[in-house]
Amino acid sequence: MSEEKSAHYSVTWQEEEYIYPPNSFVGQANLTDPNIFQRFSLENFPECYKEFADLLDWDQYWHTTLDTSDAPCWKWFVGGKINASYNCVDRHLAKYKNKTAIHFVPEPEDEPIVHMTYQELYRRVNETAAVLRDFAGLKAGDRVTLHLPMTPELPITMLACARLGVIHSQVFAGFSGQACGERIWDSESRVLITMDAYYRNGKLLDHKAVGDIAVEVAKKEGQDVDKVLIWRRYPGKYSSSAPVIEGRDFFMDELLKEYRGKTVAPVSMPAEGILFLMYTSGSTGRPKGAQHSIGGYLAYVTWMSKNIQDIHPEDVYWCMADIGWITGHSFIVYGPLACAASTVIYEGVPTYPDAGRIWRIAEELNVNIFHTSPTAIRQLRKAGPDEPEKYNFNFKHMTTVGEPIEPEVWRWYYNVVGKKNAAIVDTWWQTETGGFLCSTVPGLAPMKPGSAGPGVPGIHPVIFDDEGNEIEAGAGKAGNICIRNPWPGLMQTIWKDRDRFVSTYYGKYNKNPDSKDWRDWPYMAGDAAVLAKDGYVRILGRVDDVINVAGHRLGTKEIESAALTVQEVAEAAVIAAKDEIKGVVPDLYVALKPGFEASDELAAKISNAVSTVVGKIARPRAVHIVPDMPKTRSGKIMRRILASISNRTDVGDVTSLSNPDVVEHIRKQVQG
Ligand code: WTA
């Protein structure tokens, strides 16, 4: 046993044993060439990435693999012209037009599963693109905000945008109107595309009403939305109680009637054009729009889908993430469709109506590649540890993503879900990175429960201490994980904020801001990690003010500022409290302005404010109204101490605080 410490984490574990992928998997795997790491060594950088680009169809082939002239905003495959929609749809028609592209599973179990062929997808993407171009007036370079739930209309809309070179910014449907409105404003979208309603946990949720709030919020910030395009969950029938605003709101199913059979030629876009924005939480202030390119991003996720997810066109592939997050963009939509996969989209909650639902879907569709998060695995294990055995499905490959997975949970996934016959990859990456950074290559390397693995081919991780010294593999010390080299899937910049991009990801370890040499720009991910002797990386968690709830990144600042919208609240501090299912959940501590009294009603009001401003996923587990926050002498709130109280660990020495007595008071109040 060794104990690893970083500024924020203290973790104890033992080294786990290797588990080898079954021969049945290796025998059919796309990538089994052991020379792959040599091919993608730093000596062969960046030209090795030609192999990625060559998975795509280019309208015009590129001339420069990597242009570093605007470091650290890298340009990949410069000179190339390409269309992402063409690569995900049109190019498959010759061979696969009659093959399923999307299996859509509605949450109500009595609604039939929809099997949409590539031909059908082609038709729907074209007609939708025609509406966007000819009715909504959208053209290449415009931004459009999508606030769509998990139905086929989401990928159809994304691909229609991509066909036109329009930049989509999909906001997770569970986010509040306020959060959506801020993203409309930041991206300067004048069109919002939403849906009237969708199912979650047996209820048809009114979603259009949320869109109305978003439009109002954006307007207050100074961004007018002149068209709201509304898909209807049941075409022809409006399932929302929100009014339809004349001249602004339009039903997609009605508009589409005018565009029946229309085709739209894919717009040939520069490789370094923008495919989409994906907002994510950072350590300060507002969410930042990660800006992803067309050519580099698509090449990256296609290669990863083929070689790390091992997708063959014959496979039935199911990633249970929400398309509203990067995992869904890269590994439900763009990567799998570029590989001509059949990709599954499930509308609802994994345990609805019971703990067997997921396994029934897997059985019915004969899913053989399954991709989900540790939170979902923990939830499914708790709800029905023996359920998978009752169903006849066999996964050849499984993925875990989004949070560290406990070895014990990993083993249940391997033994019970995978029936000891699947290769598992634990993929570590981020919204910013477009695709995987660390993972084992499933046909080549053994798995190690709880460790993501080494860098994927082409990715060269390094762990630095705070002073920028490299921590050697096997040193048993945690540090900041960085990537030495750029790669094609990496975001281009933060939308409209290059300075924030440079300072957030490169500020700490770049020594020469004028350098055009990529070697001077290690990418800092913001995670603490340990590198074992065998080169396998174990991720410990975020080092910045971000908490990862059920695999969703939430900025503590966003939650705290939501709490501060309640007028009684003077100070707010959020900490990550350990949770059996979700990994961590937010616990909120607040101190009131003078003259206000703590009460359950006030705590509920604060909790509701967080749900309204940020979204339900951010709702605190508890709101503790405390007499004062523990503070340093310089007035900084000591969140670490609050976290120890919530998690019932030792608060350590508090004598140097300006108000040490309050710690014991808070401890009694919270722990009882
Ligand atoms: C965490 C999700 C451990 C990490 C793709 C990262 C992980 C953040 C893993 C990014 C993993 C992601 N093991 N931790 N396999 N995958 N993380 O942007 O802290 O939503 O920085 O992207 O999730 O979250 P994001």
Side-chain angles (χ1 to χ4, degrees):
M1 300 273 264
S2 65
E3 183 164 78
E4 316 295 346
K5 279 200 193 332
S6 77
H8 295 242
Y9 290 87
S10 166
V11 180
T12 307
W13 75 78
Q14 58 198 43
E15 271 293 309
E16 299 290 332
E17 298 202 331
Y18 289 137
I19 295 173
Y20 288 84
N23 290 337
S24 55
F25 176 82
V26 176
Q28 60 81 62
N30 280 328
L31 178 54
T32 51
D33 174 6
N35 289 326
I36 185 80
F37 290 100
Q38 178 50 38
R39 275 210 318 278
F40 282 88
S41 66
L42 282 177
E43 291 91 80
N44 294 330
F45 180 88
E47 301 310 325
C48 52
Y49 279 113
K50 180 180 189 316
E51 184 175 323
F52 284 46
D54 286 348
L55 293 175
L56 303 179
D57 285 7
W58 295 84
D59 302 335
Q60 183 181 304
Y61 205 68
W62 42 278
H63 51 69
T64 305
T65 314
L66 171 64
D67 172 356
T68 66
S69 60
D70 189 27
C73 297
W74 319 111
K75 293 192 188 71
W76 287 91
F77 310 129
V78 182
K81 289 267 183 79
I82 190 162
N83 183 279
S85 174
Y86 177 87
N87 272 279
C88 292
V89 186
D90 306 39
R91 69 165 172 162
H92 303 317
L93 295 179
K95 222 167 147 187
Y96 296 120
K97 72 174 176 189
N98 206 23
K99 173 185 179 299
T100 300
I102 294 173
H103 295 283
F104 169 56
V105 184
E107 192 190 71
E109 220 164 353
D110 53 4
E111 277 186 28
I113 295 179
V114 176
H115 309 278
M116 190 186 299
T117 62
Y118 272 94
Q119 179 64 33
E120 176 77 357
L121 179 63
Y122 171 79
R123 182 184 67 77
R124 295 197 59 187
V125 167
N126 272 279
E127 291 175 354
T128 304
V131 171
L132 299 186
R133 185 187 64 186
D134 301 340
F135 177 76
L138 291 166
K139 53 180 193 322
D142 291 347
R143 278 80 54 206
V144 46
T145 298
L146 281 46
H147 195 210
L148 291 168
M150 283 289 284
T151 68
E153 285 70 25
L154 174 47
I156 287 169
T157 309
M158 288 162 64
L159 292 165
C161 290
R163 200 165 189 85
L164 300 170
V166 168
I167 302 165
H168 58 76
S169 168
Q170 153 72 9
V171 177
F172 172 55
F175 269 147
S176 67
Q178 167 100 27
C180 180
E182 283 171 7
R183 288 155 174 80
I184 292 175
W185 165 76
D186 189 75
S187 64
E188 298 165 85
S189 303
R190 51 174 199 80
V191 174
L192 170 68
I193 306 179
T194 185
M195 190 168 247
D196 60 344
Y198 65 100
Y199 278 100
R200 241 183 124 72
N201 231 345
K203 282 204 284 286
L204 189 61
L205 302 183
D206 188 338
H207 190 57
K208 160 65 165 61
V210 184
D212 287 346
I213 298 171
V215 171
E216 241 173 73
V217 168
K219 192 181 168 67
K220 267 195 218 127
E221 301 269 13
Q223 178 62 37
D224 283 329
V225 170
D226 47 52
K227 283 196 177 64
V228 177
L229 306 181
I230 306 157
W231 290 100
R232 288 192 283 190
R233 177 65 175 74
Y234 298 101
K237 180 176 156 217
Y238 185 50
S239 309
S240 162
S241 60
V244 178
I245 296 175
E246 182 77 34
R248 188 198 77 180
D249 297 354
F250 301 90
F251 294 134
M252 283 299 284
D253 54 305
E254 285 178 358
L255 296 173
L256 280 162
K257 287 184 187 142
E258 310 280 312
Y259 294 87
R260 221 184 119 153
K262 261 237 171 226
T263 53
V264 171
V267 177
S268 215
M269 295 293 294
E272 69 273 26
I274 305 169
L275 184 58
F276 65 86
L277 306 179
M278 166 69 60
Y279 283 86
T280 187
S281 294
S283 50
T284 50
R286 290 178 185 268
K288 50 198 180 192
Q291 176 183 317
H292 281 286
S293 72
I294 302 173
Y297 169 84
L298 194 64
Y300 200 73
V301 297
T302 304
W303 196 95
M304 294 299 151
S305 289
K306 180 169 179 194
N307 295 305
I308 303 295
Q309 303 276 266
D310 198 53
I311 297 177
H312 304 57
E314 300 74 33
D315 292 321
V316 181
Y317 167 85
W318 184 9
C319 169
M320 223 172 59
D322 193 292
I323 298 174
W325 308 110
I326 192 69
T327 302
H329 272 49
S330 299
F331 298 113
I332 298 178
V333 181
Y334 285 112
L337 292 178
C339 292
S342 300
T343 187
V344 178
I345 295 181
Y346 172 53
E347 178 178 29
V349 171
T351 47
Y352 181 84
D354 57 61
R357 181 66 191 278
I358 294 307
W359 319 122
R360 281 198 293 285
I361 297 169
E363 180 183 77
E364 176 163 354
L365 294 176
N366 203 0
V367 171
N368 64 342
I369 307 180
F370 186 67
H371 184 161
T372 193
S373 65
T375 287
I377 300 168
R378 288 188 289 256
Q379 199 184 353
L380 290 164
R381 181 173 79 140
K382 189 166 186 219
D386 306 320
E387 285 299 305
E389 281 160 37
K390 300 180 189 159
Y391 297 92
N392 181 21
F393 63 87
N394 288 290
F395 298 147
K396 69 166 184 178
H397 179 291
M398 307 194 298
T399 300
T400 163
V401 64
E403 315 147 63
I405 186 165
E406 300 79 2
E408 187 199 332
V409 176
W410 191 98
R411 280 191 200 94
W412 180 79
Y413 196 40
Y414 178 79
N415 292 331
V416 181
V417 178
K419 306 179 180 179
K420 301 194 171 117
N421 204 24
I424 296 185
V425 292
D426 179 345
T427 59
W428 169 71
W429 59 296
Q430 310 178 294
T431 303
E432 295 87 336
T433 72
F436 308 144
L437 296 178
C438 287
S439 166
T440 50
V441 174
L444 272 174
M447 314 162 233
K448 192 157 84 175
S451 291
V456 293
I459 295 294
H460 300 273
V462 56
I463 299 191
F464 288 127
D465 68 14
D466 276 334
E467 282 69 52
N469 306 307
E470 198 172 323
I471 300 177
E472 296 295 322
K477 274 204 329 229
N480 289 309
I481 185 161
C482 296
I483 309 300
R484 293 183 199 273
N485 57 296
W487 64 97
L490 177 61
M491 68 195 289
Q492 299 173 303
T493 183
I494 293 173
W495 173 249
K496 296 195 303 193
D497 204 346
R498 189 186 195 277
D499 290 348
R500 189 170 172 197
F501 170 69
V502 176
S503 63
T504 307
Y505 304 99
Y506 300 99
K508 194 171 168 83
Y509 294 118
N510 166 264
K511 294 189 190 82
N512 173 10
D514 296 325
S515 172
K516 305 293 174 210
D517 184 343
W518 57 265
R519 291 170 194 81
D520 290 327
W521 296 94
Y523 168 86
M524 187 183 80
D527 280 325
V530 180
L531 183 61
K533 219 179 184 78
D534 58 7
Y536 279 46
V537 165
R538 183 158 186 160
I539 301 293
L540 304 178
R542 306 283 313 171
V543 294
D544 54 15
D545 296 329
V546 169
I547 56 178
N548 190 333
V549 180
H552 303 150
R553 265 164 82 173
L554 300 171
T556 49
K557 291 277 189 314
E558 287 165 75
I559 300 178
E560 290 166 5
S561 56
L564 288 165
T565 63
V566 175
Q567 62 137 347
E568 292 90 338
V569 175
E571 288 175 313
V574 161
I575 61 91
K578 297 218 161 55
D579 182 85
E580 195 194 339
I581 301 291
K582 295 182 174 171
V584 299
V585 289
D587 257 6
L588 178 60
Y589 288 81
V590 297
L592 302 180
K593 291 176 190 159
F596 292 107
E597 290 287 319
S599 67
D600 290 349
E601 292 74 54
L602 182 55
K605 182 169 153 191
I606 297 166
S607 183
N608 288 337
V610 175
S611 300
T612 312
V613 175
V614 187
K616 285 202 188 67
I617 49 167
R619 180 183 276 282
R621 175 181 74 169
V623 176
H624 301 294
I625 303 178
V626 297
D628 193 10
M629 297 286 179
K631 288 193 190 122
T632 61
R633 285 179 205 273
S634 62
K636 210 168 167 289
I637 299 177
M638 290 296 286
R639 289 180 178 73
R640 183 179 58 75
I641 291 175
L642 297 171
S644 300
I645 293 174
S646 279
N647 292 319
R648 295 173 183 264
T649 58
D650 182 12
V651 294
D653 181 11
V654 299
T655 49
S656 65
L657 295 185
S658 71
N659 52 353
D661 299 342
V662 81
V663 174
E664 187 51 21
H665 182 105
I666 298 174
R667 199 188 61 76
K668 284 212 183 99
Q669 177 186 339
V670 171
Q671 299 181 353

